Amino acid sequence: MEPTTLTTDRLVLRPFRPADEEEVHAAAQDPDIQRWTQVPSPYERTHAHTFVNEIVPTGWREDTAYPFAVRLRAADGEDRADAEGPLVAAIGVHLHTTESTEVGYWAVKEHRGNGYMTEAVLAVARWVFTELGLVRLEWRAEVGNAGSRAVAEKAGFRVEGLLRAGILQRGTARDCWIGALLPEDLDLTPSLPYLPAAGR
């Protein structure tokens, strides 16, 4: 997949670059990010360096993951092509198999509560459905991660249940919620016909 940039009314979503290393490192010091996501803990500068310089480009090149830096759009009057605001979140699409594609995300602590994460999730969902032709986008979060669940539900994901030992976190299998978003949930035409079970 060729690296892609997405935009919304307030945000620019583009692949992480080496210049993002400092902001990624600073954001990942947040105990909540380390508690609820799979970033290393403690999170050191070398982890941020490896992420932006190796993990991100490898994911895009090998079509295994598409991580985006989520930044505020440049303030009015800044018309340079490279003008961007601060990092407010990270979001990635992880292609596990042809039938299983998962979205994951975290928000910078100082920028939570503004709806940026939901806006970014919707932009990425529309992209995977229209450009990649996916028929289902999954979300998972460890039981108790209320912030992630709130974002998923605001974006239209239906929580479909609880998976026992469905997520691995620092060498421990833990229960997780699972939800999914379909193209028709966003009023988009699916790439394949969908035949729901009788009675649904």
Side-chain angles (χ1 to χ4, degrees):
M1 170 62 65
E2 190 69 24
T4 299
T5 297
L6 310 174
T7 59
T8 69
D9 289 342
R10 300 185 295 171
L11 305 172
V12 175
L13 292 75
R14 51 110 173 124
F16 282 93
R17 302 171 183 157
D20 299 322
E21 180 180 324
E22 184 175 342
E23 285 178 283
V24 169
H25 177 257
Q29 300 311 301
D30 177 11
D32 285 337
I33 290 177
Q34 294 188 23
R35 166 63 182 88
W36 296 112
T37 74
Q38 296 182 351
V39 304
S41 181
Y43 196 87
E44 300 174 356
R45 181 57 69 94
T46 55
H47 296 126
H49 181 83
T50 299
F51 177 70
V52 300
N53 287 283
E54 298 175 24
I55 294 173
V56 168
T58 297
W60 282 92
R61 185 175 60 251
E62 297 182 356
D63 288 316
T64 55
Y66 307 127
F68 292 91
V70 182
R71 292 184 168 276
L72 292 181
R73 294 184 72 163
D76 290 344
E78 293 187 56
D79 56 3
R80 301 189 333 270
D82 62 345
E84 296 175 336
L87 181 73
V88 298
I91 186 167
V93 178
H94 307 277
L95 286 76
H96 301 305
T97 68
T98 54
E99 289 82 26
S100 176
T101 302
E102 183 180 345
V103 66
Y105 44 82
W106 52 256
V108 177
K109 183 176 184 178
E110 294 76 15
H111 295 286
R112 292 177 191 149
N114 297 301
Y116 298 142
M117 197 74 262
T118 302
E119 193 172 322
V121 170
L122 284 167
V124 166
R126 289 187 180 98
W127 175 68
V128 299
F129 291 141
T130 59
E131 299 300 319
L132 305 185
L134 298 183
V135 297
R136 173 182 167 93
L137 181 62
E138 292 185 352
W139 158 86
R140 296 183 188 203
E142 184 181 338
V143 172
N145 189 348
S148 181
R149 179 167 177 159
V151 167
E153 291 180 328
K154 286 176 186 174
F157 281 77
R158 291 190 191 179
V159 178
E160 297 174 332
L162 183 148
L163 299 180
R164 294 183 302 154
I167 199 168
L168 299 180
Q169 183 72 301
R170 309 196 201 295
T172 304
R174 305 186 185 200
D175 293 347
C176 73
W177 294 312
I178 184 168
L181 191 68
L182 305 183
E184 45 265 52
D185 296 331
L186 300 179
D187 295 322
L188 299 172
T189 302
S191 60
L192 292 174
Y194 168 44
L195 181 62
R200 291 200 50 148

